[in-house]
mmCIF file of all heavy atoms in Angstrom:
data_model
loop_
_atom_site.group_PDB
_atom_site.id
_atom_site.type_symbol
_atom_site.label_atom_id
_atom_site.label_comp_id
_atom_site.label_asym_id
_atom_site.label_seq_id
_atom_site.Cartn_x
_atom_site.Cartn_y
_atom_site.Cartn_z
ATOM 1 N N VAL A 23 102.157 83.788 88.768
ATOM 2 C CA VAL A 23 102.351 85.174 88.596
ATOM 3 C C VAL A 23 102.882 85.779 89.896
ATOM 4 O O VAL A 23 102.288 85.719 90.965
ATOM 5 C CB VAL A 23 101.029 85.882 88.188
ATOM 6 C CG1 VAL A 23 101.173 87.479 88.204
ATOM 7 C CG2 VAL A 23 100.562 85.504 86.828
ATOM 8 N N ARG A 24 104.030 86.428 89.766
ATOM 9 C CA ARG A 24 104.727 87.038 90.981
ATOM 10 C C ARG A 24 104.855 88.600 90.863
ATOM 11 O O ARG A 24 105.207 89.197 91.869
ATOM 12 C CB ARG A 24 106.082 86.348 91.103
ATOM 13 C CG ARG A 24 106.040 84.891 91.324
ATOM 14 C CD ARG A 24 107.349 84.198 91.143
ATOM 15 N NE ARG A 24 107.252 82.774 91.180
ATOM 16 C CZ ARG A 24 107.304 82.064 92.333
ATOM 17 N NH1 ARG A 24 107.497 82.668 93.487
ATOM 18 N NH2 ARG A 24 107.158 80.722 92.309
ATOM 19 N N ALA A 25 104.616 89.116 89.640
ATOM 20 C CA ALA A 25 104.691 90.524 89.459
ATOM 21 C C ALA A 25 103.550 90.947 88.576
ATOM 22 O O ALA A 25 103.151 90.246 87.620
ATOM 23 C CB ALA A 25 106.000 90.942 88.790
ATOM 24 N N LEU A 26 102.954 92.064 88.893
ATOM 25 C CA LEU A 26 101.772 92.622 88.215
ATOM 26 C C LEU A 26 101.867 94.084 87.999
ATOM 27 O O LEU A 26 102.210 94.850 88.898
ATOM 28 C CB LEU A 26 100.447 92.325 88.971
ATOM 29 C CG LEU A 26 99.205 92.921 88.397
ATOM 30 C CD1 LEU A 26 98.895 92.333 87.053
ATOM 31 C CD2 LEU A 26 98.016 92.788 89.412
ATOM 32 N N ILE A 27 101.749 94.432 86.670
ATOM 33 C CA ILE A 27 101.725 95.930 86.309
ATOM 34 C C ILE A 27 100.273 96.176 85.923
ATOM 35 O O ILE A 27 99.665 95.616 85.062
ATOM 36 C CB ILE A 27 102.644 96.200 85.109
ATOM 37 C CG1 ILE A 27 104.078 95.777 85.425
ATOM 38 C CG2 ILE A 27 102.524 97.666 84.715
ATOM 39 C CD1 ILE A 27 104.954 95.868 84.162
ATOM 40 N N VAL A 28 99.746 97.231 86.659
ATOM 41 C CA VAL A 28 98.338 97.605 86.500
ATOM 42 C C VAL A 28 98.309 99.002 85.758
ATOM 43 O O VAL A 28 98.858 99.954 86.268
ATOM 44 C CB VAL A 28 97.535 97.672 87.833
ATOM 45 C CG1 VAL A 28 96.132 98.190 87.634
ATOM 46 C CG2 VAL A 28 97.527 96.318 88.458
ATOM 47 N N ILE A 29 97.694 99.095 84.651
ATOM 48 C CA ILE A 29 97.609 100.289 83.928
ATOM 49 C C ILE A 29 96.316 100.866 83.947
ATOM 50 O O ILE A 29 95.330 100.359 83.279
ATOM 51 C CB ILE A 29 98.071 100.015 82.365
ATOM 52 C CG1 ILE A 29 99.413 99.340 82.339
ATOM 53 C CG2 ILE A 29 98.160 101.328 81.608
ATOM 54 C CD1 ILE A 29 99.761 98.809 80.941
ATOM 55 N N GLY A 30 96.033 101.987 84.679
ATOM 56 C CA GLY A 30 94.751 102.620 84.675
ATOM 57 C C GLY A 30 93.703 101.719 85.116
ATOM 58 O O GLY A 30 92.496 101.891 84.581
ATOM 59 N N GLY A 31 93.843 100.856 86.034
ATOM 60 C CA GLY A 31 92.814 99.959 86.547
ATOM 61 C C GLY A 31 92.857 99.742 88.028
ATOM 62 O O GLY A 31 93.757 100.321 88.768
ATOM 63 N N ASN A 32 91.859 99.043 88.555
ATOM 64 C CA ASN A 32 91.782 98.918 89.967
ATOM 65 C C ASN A 32 91.208 97.478 90.292
ATOM 66 O O ASN A 32 90.049 97.317 90.676
ATOM 67 C CB ASN A 32 90.738 99.989 90.524
ATOM 68 C CG ASN A 32 90.788 100.170 91.999
ATOM 69 O OD1 ASN A 32 91.581 99.431 92.696
ATOM 70 N ND2 ASN A 32 90.005 101.110 92.530
ATOM 71 N N PRO A 33 92.031 96.467 90.142
ATOM 72 C CA PRO A 33 91.524 95.106 90.289
ATOM 73 C C PRO A 33 90.913 94.780 91.563
ATOM 74 O O PRO A 33 90.043 93.953 91.711
ATOM 75 C CB PRO A 33 92.851 94.232 89.988
ATOM 76 C CG PRO A 33 93.737 95.122 89.226
ATOM 77 C CD PRO A 33 93.493 96.543 89.705
ATOM 78 N N VAL A 34 91.425 95.429 92.704
ATOM 79 C CA VAL A 34 90.893 95.166 93.957
ATOM 80 C C VAL A 34 89.369 95.450 94.047
ATOM 81 O O VAL A 34 88.602 94.792 94.727
ATOM 82 C CB VAL A 34 91.665 95.898 95.101
ATOM 83 C CG1 VAL A 34 90.943 95.851 96.421
ATOM 84 C CG2 VAL A 34 93.067 95.401 95.229
ATOM 85 N N VAL A 35 89.057 96.469 93.357
ATOM 86 C CA VAL A 35 87.490 96.837 93.282
ATOM 87 C C VAL A 35 86.777 96.214 92.098
ATOM 88 O O VAL A 35 85.654 95.845 92.255
ATOM 89 C CB VAL A 35 87.420 98.401 93.169
ATOM 90 C CG1 VAL A 35 86.044 98.860 92.903
ATOM 91 C CG2 VAL A 35 87.861 99.030 94.492
ATOM 92 N N ALA A 36 87.442 96.042 90.938
ATOM 93 C CA ALA A 36 86.737 95.617 89.699
ATOM 94 C C ALA A 36 86.593 94.125 89.611
ATOM 95 O O ALA A 36 85.635 93.676 89.048
ATOM 96 C CB ALA A 36 87.610 96.136 88.514
ATOM 97 N N PHE A 37 87.475 93.285 90.191
ATOM 98 C CA PHE A 37 87.492 91.839 89.950
ATOM 99 C C PHE A 37 86.498 91.166 90.988
ATOM 100 O O PHE A 37 86.335 91.665 92.141
ATOM 101 C CB PHE A 37 88.883 91.255 90.133
ATOM 102 C CG PHE A 37 89.772 91.444 88.892
ATOM 103 C CD1 PHE A 37 89.840 92.706 88.339
ATOM 104 C CD2 PHE A 37 90.431 90.422 88.399
ATOM 105 C CE1 PHE A 37 90.719 92.942 87.259
ATOM 106 C CE2 PHE A 37 91.257 90.577 87.244
ATOM 107 C CZ PHE A 37 91.413 91.882 86.712
ATOM 108 N N PRO A 38 86.011 89.987 90.615
ATOM 109 C CA PRO A 38 85.202 89.194 91.547
ATOM 110 C C PRO A 38 85.996 88.808 92.794
ATOM 111 O O PRO A 38 87.231 88.703 92.780
ATOM 112 C CB PRO A 38 84.833 87.988 90.682
ATOM 113 C CG PRO A 38 84.960 88.332 89.303
ATOM 114 C CD PRO A 38 86.094 89.360 89.291
ATOM 115 N N ASP A 39 85.280 88.430 93.847
ATOM 116 C CA ASP A 39 85.806 88.009 95.095
ATOM 117 C C ASP A 39 86.947 88.921 95.578
ATOM 118 O O ASP A 39 88.079 88.636 95.485
ATOM 119 C CB ASP A 39 86.317 86.593 94.916
ATOM 120 C CG ASP A 39 86.515 85.912 96.292
ATOM 121 O OD1 ASP A 39 86.707 86.620 97.280
ATOM 122 O OD2 ASP A 39 86.551 84.659 96.305
ATOM 123 N N GLN A 40 86.473 90.081 96.159
ATOM 124 C CA GLN A 40 87.381 91.107 96.573
ATOM 125 C C GLN A 40 88.428 90.590 97.588
ATOM 126 O O GLN A 40 89.598 91.000 97.410
ATOM 127 C CB GLN A 40 86.646 92.331 97.137
ATOM 128 C CG GLN A 40 87.501 93.535 97.413
ATOM 129 C CD GLN A 40 86.555 94.706 97.777
ATOM 130 O OE1 GLN A 40 86.094 94.832 98.862
ATOM 131 N NE2 GLN A 40 86.459 95.640 96.796
ATOM 132 N N ASP A 41 88.023 89.806 98.528
ATOM 133 C CA ASP A 41 88.990 89.379 99.503
ATOM 134 C C ASP A 41 90.021 88.539 98.875
ATOM 135 O O ASP A 41 91.252 88.640 99.239
ATOM 136 C CB ASP A 41 88.251 88.615 100.609
ATOM 137 C CG ASP A 41 87.355 89.494 101.551
ATOM 138 O OD1 ASP A 41 87.687 90.672 101.570
ATOM 139 O OD2 ASP A 41 86.497 88.932 102.185
ATOM 140 N N LYS A 42 89.645 87.635 97.977
ATOM 141 C CA LYS A 42 90.635 86.788 97.334
ATOM 142 C C LYS A 42 91.632 87.567 96.512
ATOM 143 O O LYS A 42 92.841 87.381 96.564
ATOM 144 C CB LYS A 42 89.848 85.725 96.482
ATOM 145 C CG LYS A 42 90.789 84.725 95.818
ATOM 146 C CD LYS A 42 89.932 83.765 94.985
ATOM 147 C CE LYS A 42 90.768 82.722 94.356
ATOM 148 N NZ LYS A 42 89.916 81.631 93.599
ATOM 149 N N MET A 43 91.165 88.598 95.761
ATOM 150 C CA MET A 43 91.972 89.403 94.863
ATOM 151 C C MET A 43 92.890 90.231 95.739
ATOM 152 O O MET A 43 94.140 90.379 95.521
ATOM 153 C CB MET A 43 91.129 90.312 94.002
ATOM 154 C CG MET A 43 91.901 91.306 93.204
ATOM 155 S SD MET A 43 93.301 90.503 92.158
ATOM 156 C CE MET A 43 92.337 89.804 90.850
ATOM 157 N N THR A 44 92.426 90.674 96.942
ATOM 158 C CA THR A 44 93.288 91.387 97.849
ATOM 159 C C THR A 44 94.338 90.525 98.435
ATOM 160 O O THR A 44 95.532 90.937 98.486
ATOM 161 C CB THR A 44 92.446 91.929 99.046
ATOM 162 O OG1 THR A 44 91.404 92.760 98.504
ATOM 163 C CG2 THR A 44 93.256 92.790 99.948
ATOM 164 N N ARG A 45 94.088 89.353 98.764
ATOM 165 C CA ARG A 45 95.099 88.379 99.211
ATOM 166 C C ARG A 45 96.147 88.239 98.121
ATOM 167 O O ARG A 45 97.369 88.101 98.448
ATOM 168 C CB ARG A 45 94.557 87.023 99.641
ATOM 169 C CG ARG A 45 93.697 87.056 100.860
ATOM 170 C CD ARG A 45 93.482 85.685 101.477
ATOM 171 N NE ARG A 45 93.054 84.748 100.428
ATOM 172 C CZ ARG A 45 91.813 84.483 100.138
ATOM 173 N NH1 ARG A 45 90.839 85.265 100.642
ATOM 174 N NH2 ARG A 45 91.508 83.512 99.216
ATOM 175 N N ALA A 46 95.653 87.938 96.959
ATOM 176 C CA ALA A 46 96.594 87.757 95.758
ATOM 177 C C ALA A 46 97.449 88.908 95.570
ATOM 178 O O ALA A 46 98.732 88.850 95.343
ATOM 179 C CB ALA A 46 95.715 87.396 94.526
ATOM 180 N N ILE A 47 96.918 90.120 95.543
ATOM 181 C CA ILE A 47 97.721 91.372 95.294
ATOM 182 C C ILE A 47 98.715 91.524 96.388
ATOM 183 O O ILE A 47 99.906 91.805 96.179
ATOM 184 C CB ILE A 47 96.719 92.589 95.352
ATOM 185 C CG1 ILE A 47 95.852 92.577 93.971
ATOM 186 C CG2 ILE A 47 97.480 93.834 95.491
ATOM 187 C CD1 ILE A 47 96.597 93.126 92.837
ATOM 188 N N ASP A 48 98.323 91.268 97.672
ATOM 189 C CA ASP A 48 99.223 91.474 98.812
ATOM 190 C C ASP A 48 100.381 90.401 98.796
ATOM 191 O O ASP A 48 101.387 90.722 99.368
ATOM 192 C CB ASP A 48 98.485 91.456 100.061
ATOM 193 C CG ASP A 48 97.536 92.597 100.325
ATOM 194 O OD1 ASP A 48 97.739 93.626 99.622
ATOM 195 O OD2 ASP A 48 96.625 92.559 101.215
ATOM 196 N N GLY A 49 100.183 89.274 98.156
ATOM 197 C CA GLY A 49 101.178 88.321 98.103
ATOM 198 C C GLY A 49 102.116 88.408 97.003
ATOM 199 O O GLY A 49 103.171 87.639 96.868
ATOM 200 N N LEU A 50 102.030 89.409 96.161
ATOM 201 C CA LEU A 50 102.946 89.558 95.021
ATOM 202 C C LEU A 50 104.374 89.966 95.477
ATOM 203 O O LEU A 50 104.553 90.717 96.552
ATOM 204 C CB LEU A 50 102.495 90.574 94.035
ATOM 205 C CG LEU A 50 101.195 90.199 93.198
ATOM 206 C CD1 LEU A 50 100.663 91.496 92.552
ATOM 207 C CD2 LEU A 50 101.613 89.167 92.158
ATOM 208 N N GLU A 51 105.409 89.585 94.653
ATOM 209 C CA GLU A 51 106.679 90.140 94.948
ATOM 210 C C GLU A 51 106.850 91.603 94.384
ATOM 211 O O GLU A 51 107.654 92.365 94.949
ATOM 212 C CB GLU A 51 107.671 89.305 94.208
ATOM 213 C CG GLU A 51 107.896 87.768 94.780
ATOM 214 C CD GLU A 51 108.901 87.031 93.993
ATOM 215 O OE1 GLU A 51 109.868 87.589 93.435
ATOM 216 O OE2 GLU A 51 108.775 85.788 93.927
ATOM 217 N N LEU A 52 106.034 91.909 93.403
ATOM 218 C CA LEU A 52 106.116 93.283 92.845
ATOM 219 C C LEU A 52 104.791 93.751 92.275
ATOM 220 O O LEU A 52 104.176 92.997 91.437
ATOM 221 C CB LEU A 52 107.155 93.313 91.722
ATOM 222 C CG LEU A 52 107.329 94.633 91.011
ATOM 223 C CD1 LEU A 52 107.791 95.750 91.948
ATOM 224 C CD2 LEU A 52 108.228 94.537 89.737
ATOM 225 N N LEU A 53 104.235 94.824 92.751
ATOM 226 C CA LEU A 53 103.061 95.405 92.192
ATOM 227 C C LEU A 53 103.371 96.811 91.785
ATOM 228 O O LEU A 53 103.788 97.597 92.605
ATOM 229 C CB LEU A 53 101.857 95.401 93.246
ATOM 230 C CG LEU A 53 100.582 96.126 92.799
ATOM 231 C CD1 LEU A 53 99.981 95.492 91.592
ATOM 232 C CD2 LEU A 53 99.574 96.178 93.901
ATOM 233 N N VAL A 54 103.131 97.096 90.494
ATOM 234 C CA VAL A 54 103.285 98.463 89.937
ATOM 235 C C VAL A 54 101.927 98.912 89.471
ATOM 236 O O VAL A 54 101.219 98.256 88.654
ATOM 237 C CB VAL A 54 104.266 98.446 88.764
ATOM 238 C CG1 VAL A 54 104.485 99.816 88.156
ATOM 239 C CG2 VAL A 54 105.670 97.861 89.145
ATOM 240 N N SER A 55 101.545 100.114 90.006
ATOM 241 C CA SER A 55 100.263 100.689 89.625
ATOM 242 C C SER A 55 100.494 101.992 88.833
ATOM 243 O O SER A 55 101.157 102.867 89.450
ATOM 244 C CB SER A 55 99.343 100.894 90.824
ATOM 245 O OG SER A 55 98.193 101.581 90.508
ATOM 246 N N ILE A 56 100.124 102.064 87.673
ATOM 247 C CA ILE A 56 100.163 103.400 86.904
ATOM 248 C C ILE A 56 98.840 104.023 87.072
ATOM 249 O O ILE A 56 97.800 103.600 86.522
ATOM 250 C CB ILE A 56 100.451 103.085 85.386
ATOM 251 C CG1 ILE A 56 101.756 102.331 85.200
ATOM 252 C CG2 ILE A 56 100.531 104.491 84.644
ATOM 253 C CD1 ILE A 56 102.109 101.936 83.852
ATOM 254 N N ASP A 57 98.766 105.126 87.844
ATOM 255 C CA ASP A 57 97.514 105.679 88.202
ATOM 256 C C ASP A 57 97.606 107.138 88.632
ATOM 257 O O ASP A 57 98.628 107.479 89.230
ATOM 258 C CB ASP A 57 96.871 104.866 89.428
ATOM 259 C CG ASP A 57 95.373 105.015 89.531
ATOM 260 O OD1 ASP A 57 94.770 106.005 89.290
ATOM 261 O OD2 ASP A 57 94.744 104.017 89.928
ATOM 262 N N VAL A 58 96.644 107.924 88.384
ATOM 263 C CA VAL A 58 96.589 109.365 88.842
ATOM 264 C C VAL A 58 96.088 109.456 90.207
ATOM 265 O O VAL A 58 96.186 110.600 90.870
ATOM 266 C CB VAL A 58 95.895 110.283 87.935
ATOM 267 C CG1 VAL A 58 96.409 110.313 86.545
ATOM 268 C CG2 VAL A 58 94.398 109.858 87.839
ATOM 269 N N ASN A 59 95.610 108.345 90.767
ATOM 270 C CA ASN A 59 94.886 108.410 92.091
ATOM 271 C C ASN A 59 95.611 107.450 93.033
ATOM 272 O O ASN A 59 95.460 106.228 92.995
ATOM 273 C CB ASN A 59 93.363 107.973 91.972
ATOM 274 C CG ASN A 59 92.692 107.917 93.284
ATOM 275 O OD1 ASN A 59 93.172 108.459 94.311
ATOM 276 N ND2 ASN A 59 91.538 107.338 93.281
ATOM 277 N N ALA A 60 96.416 108.041 93.905
ATOM 278 C CA ALA A 60 97.162 107.186 94.858
ATOM 279 C C ALA A 60 96.269 106.514 95.928
ATOM 280 O O ALA A 60 96.803 105.725 96.676
ATOM 281 C CB ALA A 60 98.284 108.181 95.588
ATOM 282 N N GLU A 61 95.070 106.985 95.988
ATOM 283 C CA GLU A 61 94.179 106.452 97.018
ATOM 284 C C GLU A 61 93.291 105.317 96.519
ATOM 285 O O GLU A 61 92.364 104.907 97.213
ATOM 286 C CB GLU A 61 93.329 107.546 97.595
ATOM 287 C CG GLU A 61 94.033 108.654 98.379
ATOM 288 C CD GLU A 61 94.812 108.124 99.555
ATOM 289 O OE1 GLU A 61 94.163 107.325 100.256
ATOM 290 O OE2 GLU A 61 95.963 108.368 99.700
ATOM 291 N N SER A 62 93.423 104.911 95.277
ATOM 292 C CA SER A 62 92.654 103.741 94.808
ATOM 293 C C SER A 62 93.028 102.543 95.652
ATOM 294 O O SER A 62 94.079 102.411 96.108
ATOM 295 C CB SER A 62 92.797 103.503 93.321
ATOM 296 O OG SER A 62 94.002 102.752 93.097
#
C-alpha cells in the first residue's frame, strides 16, 4: 500500500501500535485525510 485515503477517521490514534502506524503513515507516497479537524 502506497496511498491511503482516510474518511472521517484517525488511524494514528485508533489503530494498535501507534509508533508503527505512524511510521507506516509517514512512509506513504500519498495520504489524503477527509476531516473537519486539521489538528487530528
Side-chain angles (χ1 to χ4, degrees):
V23 170
R24 300 167 186 272
L26 174 64
I27 300 173
V28 177
I29 307 169
N32 195 358
V34 169
V35 169
F37 281 50
D39 196 338
Q40 188 172 75
D41 288 340
K42 183 177 183 179
M43 176 53 73
T44 302
R45 292 197 311 274
I47 288 280
D48 289 346
L50 288 168
E51 294 179 27
L52 176 65
L53 174 61
V54 179
S55 177
I56 304 176
D57 204 325
V58 298
N59 178 15
E61 294 301 312
S62 84

